[in-house]
Amino acid sequence: MTSDQDTFIADAVEKALAGDMDAINSIEDRSIRGKAKAALVKAKRAAKAEQKSESSEESQGGGTPEEKVVQSSLSALLSSVYPDEIIEILNEGKVVQLKPQKWNEIATFFRDHADALLDQLECLTGVDLGTEEPLQVRYNLHSMKHRHKIEILINADRVKPEIPTVETIWRMADWFEREVYDMYGIVFTDHRDLRRLLCPEDWEGWPLRKDYEEQESYHGIVVPKVKEGWE
Amino acid sequence: MGVGSVKEVGPVQAEQMVLNIGPQHPSTHGVLRLKVKTDGEIVSEVIPYIGYLHRCFEKHAESITYEQVIPFTDRCDYIASMNNNFGYVVAMEELMDIKVPERVEYIRIIMAELNRIASHLLALGVYGLDVGAFTPFLHMFRDRERILDIFELTCGARLLYNYMWVGGVSHDLPRNFESICIDFLDYFEPNIPEFNELLTKNKIFIERTADVGVMPAEVAISYGVSGPNLRGSGVKWDVRRDEPYSIYNKFDFEIPVGTGEYGTLGDCWDRFWVRMLEMQESCKIIRQALKTIPEGGDVHAMVPKKIRPPKGSIYRRTESPRGDLGYYIISDGSEIPFRMKMRSPALTALSVLDEISAGWMISDVIAILGSLDIVLGEIDR
C-alpha cells in the first residue's frame, strides 16, 4: 500500500510541476493530498536551488535580459564613481549598502545622472535590526524613465543615530524621514523640519525600536500596558 | 517730526492670521488638523497635523502572526479594504514563492476592481459635497451600496472583509455571482454619463475645480504622489500595467491620464476626471474576468497551514485606488513578522498639499484637499 501511495504521489507531483495543479487538488484523501503538497514544495525548492547555482555561474541573474543589464549597471555605476562609499553589494546588485557620510551627494548623483535618473523614491523604511545591532534605513529608488530600481541600505549607530537627509532631493523623504525619526529616533542631519509625525510631540521614547518601553503616563493619563493573557 | 516727513513702510500686507481647520471637520475626510496661515483670504502656508488615528499598525504587526495582519490591513484603508488585502497577500506570496490557483487570481481581481469602483464613487461623491453639490453624492452612494451588497454576498462583510488570504481567498464565489455582477455592471455603466451631466460638466463645478491646485508632474513624482493623482498630472503610470502583479497582464484596459481639458494639466478637475474614467476601465476588466474565469477547484488549495516565510525581505507595491500601496516585509524565518512597513499612498498625497495650495483661497484648499482623495486611516495607520 505504501509503495503504491508513494508512486501515486510522485505521479501527482510530476503533473503539478508541469502546471496541472488539479492533479493534486483533486486527491480525495486529505492525508495523501497533504503529503503530495509537501512533496511538491520540496521538489520546487530543489529545482530553485539548482537554478540559482546555474544563474550564479552566469554572474548576474534575475528577470529579463534588459532588466539584467540595467540592474548590474546601476550598482556598477555606483562602484565606479563612489568605490569607497560602498560597504557591500547584495542580492545580485539590487541592494547596495552604503556608508552614511556622502549619502546626500550620492543621492543627488543618482537623481541627476543620465544613466540613473532615479527620480522616484518608492519607499523609505526604518528598521531596527535587534537590540544589539545597529539601526538601518532602507531606500527603494525607482526611475520613471529607465524603469529600473535599486535599494540602498544605510546603517546608523544605536546610541547616536545620524544619517544625512535627502529631504530636498526627493521631497517625499520629508515626511517619511520624519516618520522614521518619530519611530526610531534616527536624526536626519540638516532636515529642515524634523518633528515627530504620528506621535504627539512630547511623547517619550522611540516606539518601533525593539527595546522600547512605554512611558508610565502621558499628561496624567496612564498608558495601558500589554495585559496578562494577551497573545 | 516735521510736517511732510514720510515714514518708510514696506509692501502693504494684511496681518497674518492662523486658522485651524479640524481635527473634527467634515471637509477633512477624517480626523486631520490643518494649520492654515493666511494673508487676508489668501493662503500662504498649510501645515497638516496627523496622527489622530494612529493605531500602531506596524508595532502591532511585530507581535502577531502573518495571518493576523490581514484584518489590520483592512482597517488601514477602510474605503478600499480589498485592495489593501490584495497588496499584502501579493507581497507575501512573492516572499514565500506561492503560486495561487488561477480561479483565485480571477476572484481577487474582480473584487479589487469592484472595490476600486466603490472607492472612487465615494471619493467623487464626497468631492461633490466638498465643493457644494449635494445631489451627485446621493446618486453615487446609491450605487456604492450595490457593490457593498455584492461583497456581503461573497464574504459576509460590507466594509472590512478579511477576504484575501495568503494563498487563496476565504470563500469561493457564491452561486449566481456572475449574473449578479453582470446585472450590476449593466445597471452601473449607463449611470456614468449621468454623473458627468450632474457634476463633471457642471459649470459651477468646473469653475470651482479647473485651474485650481495645479500639480506639475515633476512635483508629483518628487513627492511620491501616485495613482489617480499622478495620472491627473499627465503621467501614464499604473502599477497594474508597468509592474504587473497577479494576472493583470491578461486584461486589456486603458490608463486614463489628465489632459487639462477645462484648465491646466494637473488641476483638481483633471484628478477628478481620471477617477471617473478609471471606473469605466474597472468595469471593462471585470467584464473580461467574468467571461474567462475558470470553474471549479478549491480556493483554499494553496493556503499554507502555517505561514513561515523564509528569511529575507521584500518590497512590493500594488495599485490601490489611492495609488502605489507598498508593503515592506522583513522575515526572520519565524511565524511573526520582524518588520512590517506599509507605504501609504494617501500619506504622500497629503504631504504635497502645502506645495500646491499656497497662493489659493481658503475655500480652494478644501477643493484641493478633496481632489487628493485621502483616507486618514491609511495615513495614520
Side-chain angles (χ1 to χ4, degrees), chain B residues 61-100:
Chain B
E62 288 175 14
S63 56
I64 54 179
T65 63
Y66 285 99
E67 298 95 319
Q68 290 170 328
V69 171
I70 300 175
F72 272 91
T73 65
D74 278 333
R75 283 149 184 81
C76 282
D77 182 353
Y78 37 77
I79 308 297
S81 300
M82 287 286 185
N83 299 77
N84 276 33
N85 287 175
F86 201 7
Y88 176 70
V89 297
V90 164
M92 281 304 291
E93 280 155 14
E94 214 169 300
L95 182 63
M96 294 175 71
D97 199 24
I98 295 175
K99 179 99 182 67
V100 298

mmCIF file of all heavy atoms in Angstrom, chain B residues 61-100:
data_model
loop_
_atom_site.group_PDB
_atom_site.id
_atom_site.type_symbol
_atom_site.label_atom_id
_atom_site.label_comp_id
_atom_site.label_asym_id
_atom_site.label_seq_id
_atom_site.Cartn_x
_atom_site.Cartn_y
_atom_site.Cartn_z
ATOM 1 N N ALA B 61 2.011 44.668 14.285
ATOM 2 C CA ALA B 61 2.327 43.601 13.344
ATOM 3 C C ALA B 61 3.547 42.802 13.804
ATOM 4 O O ALA B 61 3.704 41.646 13.423
ATOM 5 C CB ALA B 61 2.574 44.183 11.955
ATOM 6 N N GLU B 62 4.377 43.409 14.641
ATOM 7 C CA GLU B 62 5.569 42.696 15.098
ATOM 8 C C GLU B 62 5.274 41.739 16.247
ATOM 9 O O GLU B 62 6.177 41.107 16.783
ATOM 10 C CB GLU B 62 6.656 43.700 15.506
ATOM 11 C CG GLU B 62 7.260 44.397 14.312
ATOM 12 C CD GLU B 62 8.259 45.480 14.686
ATOM 13 O OE1 GLU B 62 8.685 45.521 15.846
ATOM 14 O OE2 GLU B 62 8.599 46.279 13.803
ATOM 15 N N SER B 63 4.016 41.668 16.673
ATOM 16 C CA SER B 63 3.715 40.734 17.755
ATOM 17 C C SER B 63 2.565 39.794 17.407
ATOM 18 O O SER B 63 2.073 39.082 18.260
ATOM 19 C CB SER B 63 3.396 41.506 19.037
ATOM 20 O OG SER B 63 2.343 42.389 18.795
ATOM 21 N N ILE B 64 2.128 39.802 16.147
ATOM 22 C CA ILE B 64 1.061 38.875 15.751
ATOM 23 C C ILE B 64 1.541 38.076 14.542
ATOM 24 O O ILE B 64 2.514 38.450 13.904
ATOM 25 C CB ILE B 64 -0.248 39.621 15.404
ATOM 26 C CG1 ILE B 64 0.020 40.700 14.355
ATOM 27 C CG2 ILE B 64 -0.878 40.196 16.637
ATOM 28 C CD1 ILE B 64 -1.209 41.462 13.944
ATOM 29 N N THR B 65 0.842 36.991 14.251
ATOM 30 C CA THR B 65 1.295 36.156 13.136
ATOM 31 C C THR B 65 0.903 36.796 11.808
ATOM 32 O O THR B 65 0.121 37.738 11.766
ATOM 33 C CB THR B 65 0.676 34.754 13.218
ATOM 34 O OG1 THR B 65 -0.735 34.884 13.097
ATOM 35 C CG2 THR B 65 1.030 34.061 14.507
ATOM 36 N N TYR B 66 1.451 36.238 10.741
ATOM 37 C CA TYR B 66 1.224 36.814 9.419
ATOM 38 C C TYR B 66 -0.252 36.798 9.027
ATOM 39 O O TYR B 66 -0.738 37.715 8.380
ATOM 40 C CB TYR B 66 2.036 36.050 8.367
ATOM 41 C CG TYR B 66 3.505 36.380 8.400
ATOM 42 C CD1 TYR B 66 4.404 35.545 9.039
ATOM 43 C CD2 TYR B 66 3.986 37.531 7.805
ATOM 44 C CE1 TYR B 66 5.749 35.853 9.077
ATOM 45 C CE2 TYR B 66 5.330 37.845 7.837
ATOM 46 C CZ TYR B 66 6.212 37.000 8.482
ATOM 47 O OH TYR B 66 7.536 37.312 8.522
ATOM 48 N N GLU B 67 -0.982 35.744 9.433
ATOM 49 C CA GLU B 67 -2.414 35.692 9.103
ATOM 50 C C GLU B 67 -3.152 36.819 9.807
ATOM 51 O O GLU B 67 -4.074 37.402 9.269
ATOM 52 C CB GLU B 67 -3.044 34.363 9.545
ATOM 53 C CG GLU B 67 -2.488 33.125 8.882
ATOM 54 C CD GLU B 67 -1.403 32.481 9.724
ATOM 55 O OE1 GLU B 67 -0.586 33.232 10.276
ATOM 56 O OE2 GLU B 67 -1.369 31.252 9.795
ATOM 57 N N GLN B 68 -2.745 37.074 11.042
ATOM 58 C CA GLN B 68 -3.465 38.059 11.840
ATOM 59 C C GLN B 68 -3.238 39.491 11.369
ATOM 60 O O GLN B 68 -3.940 40.398 11.799
ATOM 61 C CB GLN B 68 -3.042 37.925 13.316
ATOM 62 C CG GLN B 68 -3.554 36.650 13.958
ATOM 63 C CD GLN B 68 -2.948 36.412 15.324
ATOM 64 O OE1 GLN B 68 -1.809 36.774 15.574
ATOM 65 N NE2 GLN B 68 -3.703 35.774 16.196
ATOM 66 N N VAL B 69 -2.267 39.679 10.489
ATOM 67 C CA VAL B 69 -2.014 41.026 9.977
ATOM 68 C C VAL B 69 -3.125 41.449 9.015
ATOM 69 O O VAL B 69 -3.462 42.624 8.927
ATOM 70 C CB VAL B 69 -0.633 41.072 9.276
ATOM 71 C CG1 VAL B 69 -0.439 42.392 8.550
ATOM 72 C CG2 VAL B 69 0.479 40.863 10.269
ATOM 73 N N ILE B 70 -3.723 40.469 8.329
ATOM 74 C CA ILE B 70 -4.674 40.810 7.260
ATOM 75 C C ILE B 70 -5.835 41.683 7.748
ATOM 76 O O ILE B 70 -6.135 42.696 7.133
ATOM 77 C CB ILE B 70 -5.167 39.527 6.550
ATOM 78 C CG1 ILE B 70 -3.966 38.797 5.940
ATOM 79 C CG2 ILE B 70 -6.172 39.858 5.460
ATOM 80 C CD1 ILE B 70 -4.296 37.469 5.326
ATOM 81 N N PRO B 71 -6.493 41.336 8.871
ATOM 82 C CA PRO B 71 -7.561 42.241 9.341
ATOM 83 C C PRO B 71 -7.066 43.661 9.641
ATOM 84 O O PRO B 71 -7.811 44.622 9.476
ATOM 85 C CB PRO B 71 -8.054 41.563 10.623
ATOM 86 C CG PRO B 71 -7.665 40.151 10.486
ATOM 87 C CD PRO B 71 -6.411 40.122 9.700
ATOM 88 N N PHE B 72 -5.810 43.775 10.048
ATOM 89 C CA PHE B 72 -5.265 45.117 10.283
ATOM 90 C C PHE B 72 -5.179 45.912 8.978
ATOM 91 O O PHE B 72 -5.446 47.107 8.966
ATOM 92 C CB PHE B 72 -3.870 45.016 10.909
ATOM 93 C CG PHE B 72 -3.879 44.946 12.398
ATOM 94 C CD1 PHE B 72 -3.930 43.733 13.039
ATOM 95 C CD2 PHE B 72 -3.852 46.090 13.156
ATOM 96 C CE1 PHE B 72 -3.953 43.652 14.409
ATOM 97 C CE2 PHE B 72 -3.870 46.032 14.530
ATOM 98 C CZ PHE B 72 -3.922 44.806 15.163
ATOM 99 N N THR B 73 -4.797 45.219 7.902
ATOM 100 C CA THR B 73 -4.697 45.938 6.626
ATOM 101 C C THR B 73 -6.079 46.430 6.193
ATOM 102 O O THR B 73 -6.195 47.495 5.605
ATOM 103 C CB THR B 73 -4.100 45.051 5.519
ATOM 104 O OG1 THR B 73 -4.988 43.987 5.243
ATOM 105 C CG2 THR B 73 -2.753 44.515 5.902
ATOM 106 N N ASP B 74 -7.130 45.647 6.498
ATOM 107 C CA ASP B 74 -8.499 46.107 6.228
ATOM 108 C C ASP B 74 -8.741 47.477 6.841
ATOM 109 O O ASP B 74 -9.318 48.359 6.232
ATOM 110 C CB ASP B 74 -9.508 45.172 6.911
ATOM 111 C CG ASP B 74 -9.794 43.932 6.102
ATOM 112 O OD1 ASP B 74 -9.657 44.016 4.871
ATOM 113 O OD2 ASP B 74 -10.158 42.915 6.697
ATOM 114 N N ARG B 75 -8.308 47.594 8.088
ATOM 115 C CA ARG B 75 -8.655 48.780 8.868
ATOM 116 C C ARG B 75 -7.766 49.972 8.568
ATOM 117 O O ARG B 75 -8.009 51.057 9.079
ATOM 118 C CB ARG B 75 -8.637 48.427 10.355
ATOM 119 C CG ARG B 75 -9.865 47.671 10.751
ATOM 120 C CD ARG B 75 -9.627 46.692 11.866
ATOM 121 N NE ARG B 75 -10.831 45.923 12.157
ATOM 122 C CZ ARG B 75 -11.224 44.866 11.462
ATOM 123 N NH1 ARG B 75 -10.508 44.434 10.447
ATOM 124 N NH2 ARG B 75 -12.337 44.236 11.770
ATOM 125 N N CYS B 76 -6.706 49.751 7.793
ATOM 126 C CA CYS B 76 -5.880 50.894 7.420
ATOM 127 C C CYS B 76 -6.632 51.771 6.434
ATOM 128 O O CYS B 76 -6.925 52.911 6.712
ATOM 129 C CB CYS B 76 -4.564 50.415 6.823
ATOM 130 S SG CYS B 76 -3.434 49.874 8.089
ATOM 131 N N ASP B 77 -6.952 51.230 5.290
ATOM 132 C CA ASP B 77 -7.753 51.972 4.330
ATOM 133 C C ASP B 77 -9.125 51.314 4.285
ATOM 134 O O ASP B 77 -9.353 50.390 3.532
ATOM 135 C CB ASP B 77 -7.083 51.947 2.949
ATOM 136 C CG ASP B 77 -7.858 52.755 1.941
ATOM 137 O OD1 ASP B 77 -8.961 53.205 2.291
ATOM 138 O OD2 ASP B 77 -7.383 52.933 0.816
ATOM 139 N N TYR B 78 -10.032 51.822 5.109
ATOM 140 C CA TYR B 78 -11.330 51.167 5.252
ATOM 141 C C TYR B 78 -12.252 51.421 4.066
ATOM 142 O O TYR B 78 -13.333 50.877 3.987
ATOM 143 C CB TYR B 78 -12.007 51.584 6.556
ATOM 144 C CG TYR B 78 -11.756 53.030 6.910
ATOM 145 C CD1 TYR B 78 -12.440 54.037 6.269
ATOM 146 C CD2 TYR B 78 -10.792 53.373 7.850
ATOM 147 C CE1 TYR B 78 -12.181 55.359 6.567
ATOM 148 C CE2 TYR B 78 -10.526 54.695 8.156
ATOM 149 C CZ TYR B 78 -11.231 55.685 7.510
ATOM 150 O OH TYR B 78 -10.963 56.987 7.791
ATOM 151 N N ILE B 79 -11.836 52.295 3.139
ATOM 152 C CA ILE B 79 -12.668 52.532 1.964
ATOM 153 C C ILE B 79 -12.361 51.493 0.888
ATOM 154 O O ILE B 79 -13.199 51.186 0.064
ATOM 155 C CB ILE B 79 -12.414 53.946 1.404
ATOM 156 C CG1 ILE B 79 -12.545 54.991 2.491
ATOM 157 C CG2 ILE B 79 -13.358 54.263 0.257
ATOM 158 C CD1 ILE B 79 -13.900 55.104 3.101
ATOM 159 N N ALA B 80 -11.135 50.987 0.883
ATOM 160 C CA ALA B 80 -10.747 50.020 -0.150
ATOM 161 C C ALA B 80 -10.034 48.844 0.502
ATOM 162 O O ALA B 80 -8.877 48.573 0.233
ATOM 163 C CB ALA B 80 -9.865 50.687 -1.193
ATOM 164 N N SER B 81 -10.754 48.131 1.371
ATOM 165 C CA SER B 81 -10.117 47.057 2.131
ATOM 166 C C SER B 81 -9.611 45.932 1.240
ATOM 167 O O SER B 81 -8.566 45.351 1.495
ATOM 168 C CB SER B 81 -11.105 46.486 3.137
ATOM 169 O OG SER B 81 -11.520 47.485 4.010
ATOM 170 N N MET B 82 -10.399 45.621 0.192
ATOM 171 C CA MET B 82 -9.988 44.529 -0.694
ATOM 172 C C MET B 82 -8.617 44.810 -1.289
ATOM 173 O O MET B 82 -7.767 43.935 -1.360
ATOM 174 C CB MET B 82 -10.994 44.367 -1.839
ATOM 175 C CG MET B 82 -12.299 43.765 -1.416
ATOM 176 S SD MET B 82 -12.147 42.018 -1.097
ATOM 177 C CE MET B 82 -13.854 41.596 -0.780
ATOM 178 N N ASN B 83 -8.410 46.044 -1.724
ATOM 179 C CA ASN B 83 -7.138 46.385 -2.348
ATOM 180 C C ASN B 83 -5.998 46.308 -1.342
ATOM 181 O O ASN B 83 -4.874 45.958 -1.700
ATOM 182 C CB ASN B 83 -7.212 47.783 -2.963
ATOM 183 C CG ASN B 83 -8.265 47.856 -4.033
ATOM 184 O OD1 ASN B 83 -9.449 47.934 -3.729
ATOM 185 N ND2 ASN B 83 -7.866 47.787 -5.273
ATOM 186 N N ASN B 84 -6.292 46.641 -0.092
ATOM 187 C CA ASN B 84 -5.252 46.549 0.933
ATOM 188 C C ASN B 84 -4.891 45.102 1.220
ATOM 189 O O ASN B 84 -3.725 44.757 1.357
ATOM 190 C CB ASN B 84 -5.725 47.231 2.212
ATOM 191 C CG ASN B 84 -5.486 48.712 2.167
ATOM 192 O OD1 ASN B 84 -5.561 49.322 1.108
ATOM 193 N ND2 ASN B 84 -5.183 49.296 3.301
ATOM 194 N N ASN B 85 -5.915 44.249 1.298
ATOM 195 C CA ASN B 85 -5.659 42.808 1.440
ATOM 196 C C ASN B 85 -4.812 42.322 0.286
ATOM 197 O O ASN B 85 -3.848 41.575 0.456
ATOM 198 C CB ASN B 85 -6.976 42.016 1.370
ATOM 199 C CG ASN B 85 -7.821 42.157 2.620
ATOM 200 O OD1 ASN B 85 -8.921 41.668 2.677
ATOM 201 N ND2 ASN B 85 -7.305 42.820 3.618
ATOM 202 N N PHE B 86 -5.186 42.759 -0.886
ATOM 203 C CA PHE B 86 -4.561 42.301 -2.127
ATOM 204 C C PHE B 86 -3.064 42.615 -2.104
ATOM 205 O O PHE B 86 -2.231 41.740 -2.353
ATOM 206 C CB PHE B 86 -5.242 42.993 -3.313
ATOM 207 C CG PHE B 86 -5.076 42.280 -4.624
ATOM 208 C CD1 PHE B 86 -4.480 41.042 -4.690
ATOM 209 C CD2 PHE B 86 -5.523 42.862 -5.802
ATOM 210 C CE1 PHE B 86 -4.340 40.382 -5.907
ATOM 211 C CE2 PHE B 86 -5.394 42.220 -7.006
ATOM 212 C CZ PHE B 86 -4.796 40.980 -7.069
ATOM 213 N N GLY B 87 -2.736 43.846 -1.768
ATOM 214 C CA GLY B 87 -1.329 44.241 -1.740
ATOM 215 C C GLY B 87 -0.532 43.377 -0.774
ATOM 216 O O GLY B 87 0.568 42.920 -1.087
ATOM 217 N N TYR B 88 -1.123 43.125 0.368
ATOM 218 C CA TYR B 88 -0.413 42.341 1.384
ATOM 219 C C TYR B 88 -0.198 40.905 0.918
ATOM 220 O O TYR B 88 0.913 40.377 1.006
ATOM 221 C CB TYR B 88 -1.194 42.377 2.692
ATOM 222 C CG TYR B 88 -0.602 41.515 3.774
ATOM 223 C CD1 TYR B 88 0.593 41.866 4.383
ATOM 224 C CD2 TYR B 88 -1.232 40.339 4.182
ATOM 225 C CE1 TYR B 88 1.148 41.076 5.367
ATOM 226 C CE2 TYR B 88 -0.678 39.543 5.167
ATOM 227 C CZ TYR B 88 0.504 39.912 5.752
ATOM 228 O OH TYR B 88 1.053 39.121 6.722
ATOM 229 N N VAL B 89 -1.252 40.278 0.401
ATOM 230 C CA VAL B 89 -1.081 38.870 0.016
ATOM 231 C C VAL B 89 -0.161 38.723 -1.191
ATOM 232 O O VAL B 89 0.590 37.762 -1.279
ATOM 233 C CB VAL B 89 -2.437 38.152 -0.229
ATOM 234 C CG1 VAL B 89 -3.242 38.117 1.041
ATOM 235 C CG2 VAL B 89 -3.223 38.762 -1.361
ATOM 236 N N VAL B 90 -0.188 39.703 -2.098
ATOM 237 C CA VAL B 90 0.724 39.634 -3.241
ATOM 238 C C VAL B 90 2.171 39.683 -2.761
ATOM 239 O O VAL B 90 3.019 38.893 -3.184
ATOM 240 C CB VAL B 90 0.438 40.785 -4.243
ATOM 241 C CG1 VAL B 90 1.589 40.962 -5.205
ATOM 242 C CG2 VAL B 90 -0.838 40.499 -5.015
ATOM 243 N N ALA B 91 2.449 40.577 -1.817
ATOM 244 C CA ALA B 91 3.813 40.668 -1.284
ATOM 245 C C ALA B 91 4.195 39.386 -0.562
ATOM 246 O O ALA B 91 5.293 38.857 -0.742
ATOM 247 C CB ALA B 91 3.928 41.871 -0.343
ATOM 248 N N MET B 92 3.285 38.867 0.238
ATOM 249 C CA MET B 92 3.586 37.647 0.997
ATOM 250 C C MET B 92 3.826 36.461 0.075
ATOM 251 O O MET B 92 4.719 35.645 0.307
ATOM 252 C CB MET B 92 2.426 37.324 1.952
ATOM 253 C CG MET B 92 2.398 38.135 3.203
ATOM 254 S SD MET B 92 3.910 38.023 4.147
ATOM 255 C CE MET B 92 3.835 36.328 4.700
ATOM 256 N N GLU B 93 2.996 36.358 -0.964
ATOM 257 C CA GLU B 93 3.151 35.217 -1.867
ATOM 258 C C GLU B 93 4.452 35.312 -2.649
ATOM 259 O O GLU B 93 5.073 34.296 -2.961
ATOM 260 C CB GLU B 93 1.945 35.129 -2.810
ATOM 261 C CG GLU B 93 0.771 34.478 -2.128
ATOM 262 C CD GLU B 93 -0.556 34.874 -2.727
ATOM 263 O OE1 GLU B 93 -0.572 35.448 -3.825
ATOM 264 O OE2 GLU B 93 -1.582 34.628 -2.076
ATOM 265 N N GLU B 94 4.861 36.546 -2.956
ATOM 266 C CA GLU B 94 6.139 36.692 -3.641
ATOM 267 C C GLU B 94 7.278 36.297 -2.702
ATOM 268 O O GLU B 94 8.240 35.657 -3.113
ATOM 269 C CB GLU B 94 6.300 38.145 -4.107
ATOM 270 C CG GLU B 94 7.050 38.269 -5.418
ATOM 271 C CD GLU B 94 6.968 39.665 -5.981
ATOM 272 O OE1 GLU B 94 5.829 40.121 -6.237
ATOM 273 O OE2 GLU B 94 8.018 40.296 -6.151
ATOM 274 N N LEU B 95 7.143 36.662 -1.441
ATOM 275 C CA LEU B 95 8.187 36.325 -0.461
ATOM 276 C C LEU B 95 8.261 34.813 -0.245
ATOM 277 O O LEU B 95 9.333 34.244 -0.104
ATOM 278 C CB LEU B 95 7.877 37.036 0.862
ATOM 279 C CG LEU B 95 8.856 36.873 2.007
ATOM 280 C CD1 LEU B 95 10.199 37.470 1.644
ATOM 281 C CD2 LEU B 95 8.328 37.552 3.255
ATOM 282 N N MET B 96 7.092 34.166 -0.208
ATOM 283 C CA MET B 96 7.061 32.728 0.079
ATOM 284 C C MET B 96 7.073 31.887 -1.173
ATOM 285 O O MET B 96 7.078 30.654 -1.087
ATOM 286 C CB MET B 96 5.814 32.396 0.889
ATOM 287 C CG MET B 96 5.800 33.009 2.264
ATOM 288 S SD MET B 96 4.255 32.687 3.096
ATOM 289 C CE MET B 96 4.404 30.939 3.440
ATOM 290 N N ASP B 97 7.019 32.538 -2.334
ATOM 291 C CA ASP B 97 7.037 31.832 -3.601
ATOM 292 C C ASP B 97 5.845 30.877 -3.726
ATOM 293 O O ASP B 97 6.001 29.699 -4.000
ATOM 294 C CB ASP B 97 8.359 31.070 -3.755
ATOM 295 C CG ASP B 97 8.611 30.715 -5.207
ATOM 296 O OD1 ASP B 97 8.054 31.409 -6.061
ATOM 297 O OD2 ASP B 97 9.340 29.752 -5.469
ATOM 298 N N ILE B 98 4.653 31.407 -3.492
ATOM 299 C CA ILE B 98 3.429 30.613 -3.636
ATOM 300 C C ILE B 98 2.760 30.981 -4.946
ATOM 301 O O ILE B 98 2.663 32.168 -5.273
ATOM 302 C CB ILE B 98 2.444 30.902 -2.476
ATOM 303 C CG1 ILE B 98 3.035 30.433 -1.161
ATOM 304 C CG2 ILE B 98 1.104 30.235 -2.729
ATOM 305 C CD1 ILE B 98 2.180 30.784 0.034
ATOM 306 N N LYS B 99 2.325 29.973 -5.676
ATOM 307 C CA LYS B 99 1.561 30.242 -6.898
ATOM 308 C C LYS B 99 0.125 29.860 -6.604
ATOM 309 O O LYS B 99 -0.161 28.699 -6.353
ATOM 310 C CB LYS B 99 2.150 29.403 -8.031
ATOM 311 C CG LYS B 99 1.443 29.545 -9.357
ATOM 312 C CD LYS B 99 2.178 30.522 -10.272
ATOM 313 C CE LYS B 99 1.440 30.709 -11.598
ATOM 314 N NZ LYS B 99 0.143 31.386 -11.466
ATOM 315 N N VAL B 100 -0.784 30.832 -6.619
ATOM 316 C CA VAL B 100 -2.167 30.530 -6.250
ATOM 317 C C VAL B 100 -2.923 30.021 -7.468
ATOM 318 O O VAL B 100 -2.547 30.309 -8.606
ATOM 319 C CB VAL B 100 -2.882 31.764 -5.653
ATOM 320 C CG1 VAL B 100 -2.200 32.218 -4.401
ATOM 321 C CG2 VAL B 100 -2.968 32.882 -6.649
#
